[in-house]
Amino acid sequence: MPNMKKATASDNIVGMRIDMDIYRMNIDAIVSHLKRGFKRSDDFKIGIEIEHFVFDSNDRSAGYEKILDVMKDIMGEDDKPYYLEGHLIGFYNDRYSISLEPASQLEISIAPCASADELVCIYRDFRRILDPVLSRYNLRVECYGYNPYESAQELDIIPKKRYEYMDRYFQKAGTRGRNMMRATASVQVSVDYSDENDAIRKYRLAAILSPVLSLMMDNSPVFEKQPAAMHMVRAYVWDGVDADRCVIMDGCLAPDFSFEKYAEYIMNMPAILVMEGETAVYTDDKKIKDIYAERVMTDEEVMHVLSMAFFDVRLKNYIEIRMADSCNIDKAAWYARIICNIFYNDDNMGKAEEYFAGVGQKDVLEARESLIQHGKDGIIYGKKAECVVRFVTELGSNAAVKE
């Protein structure tokens, strides 16, 4: 008969120590991943992702099967396809990767470059491959922040369990998850950092700038097939997705914000799903720290849990600035240059920090709400929006070391 020794208080304490040790090690695993992004300033680059809606001649979304045919036709001999659960969901090469967002939005993620001009060249090369193929299928791409022709309920999710589970979770986490996944498209710009202090400094400034950049890149005239009654439709949509993981990270503007604080926040988020090999497993609202309570995460798992945060500014082993609406390449390049010229120029960073001194998280949310309601007539941190936009635009027009 097995020894049925009764658990004692000391046994519980030992078990707790083991759990806390593993929790600490998982925090360290996330921090270590973020630190692997450290780069010399001479090696700083800028990356960009642009999402496109793909429509047919009747202004209907092309859908997964048609996009799949397009992807097969534009893949070259040197392109490497990738599959998930038996489904082709994209391909990549040394210059860019192509993938599908939840409702078949077509995304190009361009490998980080030394300048916005290089990003433009790569993008235009891709379009020279893509556009003739689209034409053969009577399809076209358009870039907006929100689908101008269809409502979210008319659009289907591609066969990818990650998106199926996110869709399920967001239906209870908020009211606009379906809108976000099916009907939005963005431009995302990524910047590098030299050390933790540099990363935190850039993260904070990007969070403060987020309402301004949203307004500058507002490109959503339509919401649910009607002229938009609000400005910054994508910001409005994200406000209603999931308060735990969207818009602005709670505490990111506090004096003690750090990689460790970011890692702790991630560990205490509901996971939604985890990956077991190539299989997505739904975990609902179970927290990441509880899922990995008995073992240390692999680096692949660290990358996955970081990808499940959807703040306007996201830390990976670079900083992802995510609040811009999708737009044409000329405006996207203009935007990337502004980001580059602010975040890669210490003088410009200092001027921006001085201009926005004292801004807190509550101020960011109030500015966001004012701009959604009033657009360029709104108020940003006690100033007229048009004045703040002018300051940021002029500051971002000053040449940086990379341009």
Side-chain angles (χ1 to χ4, degrees):
M1 184 174 180
N3 182 4
M4 301 296 288
K5 178 184 174 183
K6 184 177 179 180
T8 65
S10 62
D11 292 329
N12 291 336
I13 291 172
V14 170
M16 187 180 299
R17 283 175 181 160
I18 292 172
D19 288 346
M20 289 305 293
D21 286 346
I22 293 176
Y23 176 74
R24 180 73 259 164
M25 291 168 73
N26 276 319
I27 295 292
D28 291 344
I30 295 174
V31 171
S32 294
H33 178 83
L34 300 179
K35 286 183 175 180
R36 284 199 288 276
F38 292 170
K39 292 181 175 64
R40 290 162 37 101
S41 59
D42 289 347
D43 295 327
F44 283 173
K45 294 183 179 181
I46 190 161
I48 198 167
E49 298 177 4
I50 303 177
E51 298 170 356
H52 310 74
F53 294 113
V54 185
F55 296 113
D56 63 21
S57 57
N58 296 314
D59 296 337
R60 308 296 295 178
S61 289
Y64 176 70
E65 296 300 331
K66 287 184 181 178
I67 298 295
L68 191 62
D69 290 337
V70 170
M71 282 205 299
K72 289 176 179 176
D73 282 1
I74 63 176
M75 274 195 296
E77 292 182 0
D78 296 328
D79 294 330
K80 301 173 180 62
Y82 53 90
Y83 297 83
L84 191 64
E85 298 164 355
H87 299 284
L88 178 67
I89 57 170
F91 65 87
Y92 63 96
N93 55 45
D94 292 339
R95 305 177 78 203
Y96 56 80
S97 65
I98 303 300
S99 59
L100 294 182
E101 292 301 294
S104 298
Q105 300 97 319
L106 185 69
E107 177 185 277
I108 178 171
S109 177
I110 299 176
C113 294
S115 72
D117 289 343
E118 289 184 46
L119 297 173
V120 172
C121 288
I122 294 173
Y123 180 84
R124 294 200 189 282
D125 286 345
F126 167 66
R127 289 296 297 268
R128 278 190 282 270
I129 298 170
L130 175 67
D131 289 353
V133 174
L134 289 174
S135 181
R136 290 204 306 269
Y137 286 97
N138 292 317
L139 300 174
R140 71 185 190 281
V141 294
E142 292 191 24
C143 293
Y144 290 100
Y146 200 87
N147 188 314
Y149 307 119
E150 299 163 293
S151 64
Q153 66 182 5
E154 295 176 90
L155 300 167
D156 296 324
I157 295 292
I158 68 172
K160 186 176 179 181
K161 286 293 183 183
R162 173 187 171 101
Y163 295 149
E164 177 187 330
Y165 294 153
M166 288 170 60
D167 192 42
R168 182 194 305 180
Y169 184 85
F170 288 148
Q171 287 186 48
K172 71 172 187 176
T175 58
R176 300 179 201 130
R178 292 176 66 86
N179 302 83
M180 180 276 291
M181 294 186 69
R182 290 165 170 78
T184 64
S186 69
V187 167
Q188 300 176 17
V189 171
S190 60
V191 296
D192 292 321
Y193 47 79
S194 59
D195 55 29
E196 184 171 354
N197 288 336
D198 186 45
I200 296 305
R201 183 186 180 198
K202 287 172 177 172
Y203 189 100
R204 282 186 173 130
L205 180 58
I208 290 169
L209 285 173
S210 60
V212 191
L213 299 178
S214 291
L215 180 63
M216 290 167 57
M217 296 298 288
D218 185 4
N219 187 33
S220 302
V222 173
F223 178 64
E224 293 293 279
K225 299 198 290 189
Q226 300 295 324
M230 75 292 288
H231 304 271
M232 291 167 36
V233 167
R234 275 186 67 255
Y236 166 79
V237 168
W238 275 105
D239 282 348
V241 174
D242 182 356
D244 286 329
R245 71 187 74 240
C246 300
V247 185
I248 185 170
M249 179 198 145
D250 189 28
C252 72
L253 297 181
D256 63 346
F257 182 55
S258 64
F259 280 175
E260 183 171 322
K261 292 290 185 182
Y262 193 86
E264 288 175 349
Y265 192 98
I266 295 295
M267 287 296 292
N268 285 276
M269 284 193 325
I272 303 180
L273 63 101
V274 296
M275 300 301 297
E276 293 184 358
E278 293 188 356
T279 302
V281 177
Y282 186 59
T283 57
D284 201 1
D285 56 2
K286 190 173 183 180
K287 291 185 177 180
I288 292 167
K289 68 177 181 180
D290 296 322
I291 293 169
Y292 297 105
E294 297 182 357
R295 66 177 179 84
V296 179
M297 290 183 287
T298 66
D299 199 49
E300 289 77 12
E301 288 166 335
V302 168
M303 289 189 286
H304 167 73
V305 299
L306 289 172
S307 77
M308 296 306 292
F310 303 108
F311 310 120
D312 279 357
V313 186
R314 181 160 67 180
L315 269 177
K316 293 187 175 177
N317 48 21
Y318 49 87
I319 298 171
E320 197 174 62
I321 301 173
R322 298 163 37 84
M323 66 287 297
D325 283 3
S326 185
C327 59
N328 65 52
I329 186 59
D330 291 330
K331 186 167 184 180
W334 170 81
Y335 175 65
R337 290 186 184 98
I338 285 177
I339 297 294
C340 187
N341 290 347
I342 292 175
F343 287 86
Y344 288 162
N345 183 304
D346 197 61
D347 288 342
N348 288 346
M349 281 276 291
K351 290 175 183 176
E353 289 167 327
E354 182 179 357
Y355 187 85
F356 294 110
V359 171
Q361 183 171 327
K362 182 172 179 287
D363 302 313
V364 174
L365 295 174
E366 288 178 350
R368 185 183 180 95
E369 182 178 354
S370 178
L371 297 180
I372 288 172
Q373 292 183 12
H374 306 293
K376 65 181 181 180
D377 296 321
I379 300 297
I380 304 174
Y381 312 139
K383 303 179 179 70
K384 291 183 179 180
E386 59 183 352
C387 296
V388 179
V389 168
R390 186 182 309 117
F391 168 80
V392 171
T393 302
E394 291 177 354
L395 188 65
S397 299
N398 293 334
V401 293
K402 286 292 175 185
E403 290 289 296

